[in-house]
């Protein structure tokens, strides 16, 4: 009898343990959020990042003096309080919060900001977005031009927790800038210990944001964001783990969503119409400006695309309205400028920037053909072959095929050869200017036209087109500096700059302002996205 009772007890205990194990597994599965990404993360070094995928990751694992709140407004983050202002607003004194730490437990200090900012403007770093500091942080412009030492940048750690920032002029958008990756801190001791391996895998990385990046290197198609228990506001970080996988095909994304393997997916084209009546379907607009970049040449070597009439012909030969209505169908709208609509408004009249500047390069196949014939005559050719580089997602493939058909149909003698590469390779081709035409775009870092126009300054690390215009440079740099205290004059300068970029020079082929159509589980809460700026996973959670 005793033996029987002992056996029954063991069986009962085993059953209870098995049930507990199942419950723990279910709990673990429930607490993990599953998201998709459009491509591999090329790298997560805030200094050298140059693409939306990298910045999306950087925004989850790092944090600057400010962070965007749920409504897209800057709120205090690493800064313990609003800065003390001196010198008519040109000098700002920030206190770094005492409970700010890196994920390895070392404190975040003012020196981390000084080190990171000076790296960004050092020409040796070749930081793509170093020009964000140009004409804003004191001495940034001559440093970026190699005429002054990076140590002379207007940033200084007065002590471990006190940071002094000196500006060329008080800048209305400066607080917004401080929420972007270019202004995030970096830990010098850790970086120097890692050497060339820094930020190339999760083993060579520390972070100070809501999450740590785990199970990642630059080749992986899956990775995890894991709650950073050293983060100062960890109590408001709801998700313990976010698993991300690269999904380039919409059909695949839908299959993963319907089998509960993804909690949020992006839709386009025919899939929008198929799922638009589903209760978990959503649509919104974004500030992403999508365009074709045209390589006019570099290092003194000009290409056929340096011809203005050729560029105008290309820019006017694509039926953008059909593209957004039939091919995308995700809330995108045809764009005939570089700065998107419905986000930035005249400080005096409150009129939308895009409405004020109007259509600068519209679809007009008749005029395009005239420019094309004139351009061919000027370069002494009867026909032209151009390679069009783009990423390998299903949507990008559809877009390039549509544009290939449009361009060849409207411009006799033109042959477009599509060059499909990985998303990472597309980013690299852009940065190295190793392309003829390239499908690209920019989502903006902050709600001001400057974030779109700043990219095309002469010799800007973000330019990569060969476009250069002294008047354009003067207007954009003025909007960053000397015009900062006159909002309306500054606004007019930015309007004029966009006209020079597109109407006068056709430096880009503007295509559309991006929309977002997506499926998202009702259980997923506070997936925070903005018209401009990277998504914010800080408050995201998933109910059981």
């Amino acid at each position: 009898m005793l033996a029987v009772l002992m056996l029954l007890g063991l069986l009962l205990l085993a059953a209870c343990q098995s049930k507990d194990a199942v419950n723990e597994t279910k709990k673990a599965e429930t607490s993990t959020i599953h998201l998709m990404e459009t491509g591999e993360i090329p790298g997560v070094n805030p200094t050298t990042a140059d693409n939306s995928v990298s910045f999306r990751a950087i925004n989850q694992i790092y944090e600057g003096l400010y962070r965007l709140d749920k409504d897209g407004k800057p709120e205090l983050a690493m800064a313990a309080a609003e800065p003390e202002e001196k010198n008519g607003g040109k000098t700002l004194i920030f206190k770094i919060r005492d409970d700010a730490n890196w994920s390895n437990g070392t404190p975040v200090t003012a020196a981390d900001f000084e080190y990171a900012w000076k790296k960004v403007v050092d020409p040796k770093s070749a930081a793509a977005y170093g020009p964000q500091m140009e004409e804003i942080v004191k001495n940034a412009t001559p440093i970026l031009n190699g005429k002054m030492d990076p140590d002379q940048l207007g940033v200084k750690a007065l002590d471990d927790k006190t940071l002094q920032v000196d500006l060329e002029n008080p800048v209305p958008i400066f607080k917004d800038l401080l929420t972007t990756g270019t202004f995030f801190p970096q830990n010098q001791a850790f970086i120097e210990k890692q050497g060339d391996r820094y930020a190339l895998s999760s083993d060579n990385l520390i972070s100070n944001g809501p999450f740590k990046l785990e199970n990642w290197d630059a080749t992986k198609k899956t990775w995890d964001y894991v709650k950073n228990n050293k983060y100062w506001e960890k109590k408001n970080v709801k998700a313990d783990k976010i698993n991300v996988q690269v999904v380039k095909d919409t059909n695949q994304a839908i299959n993963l969503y319907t089998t509960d393997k993804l909690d949020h997916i992006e839709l386009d084209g025919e899939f929008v119409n198929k799922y638009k009546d589903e209760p978990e379907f959503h649509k919104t607009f974004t500030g992403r400006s999508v365009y074709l970049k045209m390589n006019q040449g570099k290092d003194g070597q000009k290409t056929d695309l340096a011809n203005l009439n050729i560029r105008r012909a290309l820019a006017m030969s694509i039926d953008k309205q059909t593209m957004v209505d039939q091919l995308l169908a995700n809330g995108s709208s045809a764009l005939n400028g570089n700065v998107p609509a419905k986000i930035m408004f005249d400080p005096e009249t409150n009129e939308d920037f895009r409405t004020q500047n109007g259509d600068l390069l519209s679809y007009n196949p008749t005029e395009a053909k005239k420019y094309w014939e004139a351009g061919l005559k000027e370069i002494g050719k009867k026909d032209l072959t151009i390679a069009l580089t783009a990423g390998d997602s299903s949507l990008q493939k559809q877009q390039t095929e549509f544009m290939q058909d449009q361009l060849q149909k409207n411009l006799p003698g033109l042959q477009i050869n599509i060059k499909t590469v990985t998303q990472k390779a597309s980013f690299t081709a852009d940065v190295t200017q190793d392309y003829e035409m390239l499908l690209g775009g920019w989502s903006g870092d902050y709600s001001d036209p400057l974030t779109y126009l700043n990219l095309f300054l002469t010799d800007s690390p973000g330019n990569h087109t060969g476009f250069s215009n002294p008047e354009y440079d003067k207007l954009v740099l003025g909007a960053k500096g000397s015009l900062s205290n006159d909002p309306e004059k500054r606004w007019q300068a930015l309007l004029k700059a966009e006209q020079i970029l597109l109407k006068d020079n056709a430096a880009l082929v503007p295509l559309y302002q991006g929309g977002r159509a997506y499926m998202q589980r009702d259980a997923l809460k506070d997936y925070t996205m903005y018209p401009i700026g990277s998504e914010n996973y800080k408050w995201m959670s998933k109910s059981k």
Side-chain angles (χ1 to χ4, degrees), residues 239-305:
D240 292 322
K241 181 179 177 181
I242 301 170
N243 172 259
V244 182
Q245 59 180 302
V246 175
V247 181
K248 300 179 181 182
D249 181 76
T250 308
N251 257 321
Q252 182 189 4
I254 291 168
N255 289 336
L256 291 168
Y257 187 84
T258 55
T259 54
D260 295 328
K261 294 176 182 176
L262 283 176
D263 297 311
H264 174 111
I265 61 170
E266 304 287 325
L267 299 178
D268 53 67
E270 61 183 294
F271 302 103
V272 174
N273 293 325
K274 184 175 180 179
Y275 292 96
K276 65 182 180 181
D277 296 324
E278 294 291 327
E280 293 184 334
F281 175 85
H282 307 273
K283 185 186 282 191
T284 186
F285 75 95
T286 77
R288 181 165 179 77
S289 173
V290 179
Y291 42 71
L292 290 178
K293 298 180 83 169
M294 296 177 283
N295 185 355
Q296 297 184 38
K298 66 175 183 177
D299 301 328
Q301 298 295 314
K302 296 291 186 180
T303 71
D304 290 331
L305 293 173

Side-chain angles (χ1 to χ4, degrees), residues 292-294 296 311 361 465 467 501-502 505-509:
L292 290 178
K293 298 180 83 169
M294 296 177 283
Q296 297 184 38
R311 296 198 305 275
L361 280 173
T465 64
F467 167 74
L501 180 72
L502 296 182
N505 288 279
L508 305 168
V509 179

Side-chain angles (χ1 to χ4, degrees), residues 170-206:
V171 183
I173 61 170
F174 190 58
K175 191 181 290 188
D176 298 85
L177 282 170
L178 294 178
T179 69
T180 67
T182 304
F183 292 84
F184 288 174
Q186 295 193 52
N187 185 290
Q188 183 175 1
F190 181 86
I191 290 173
E192 291 180 349
K193 184 178 179 180
Q194 301 304 311
D196 293 339
R197 298 171 301 165
Y198 172 64
L200 293 179
S201 77
S202 48
D203 294 331
N204 312 115
L205 181 69
I206 59 173

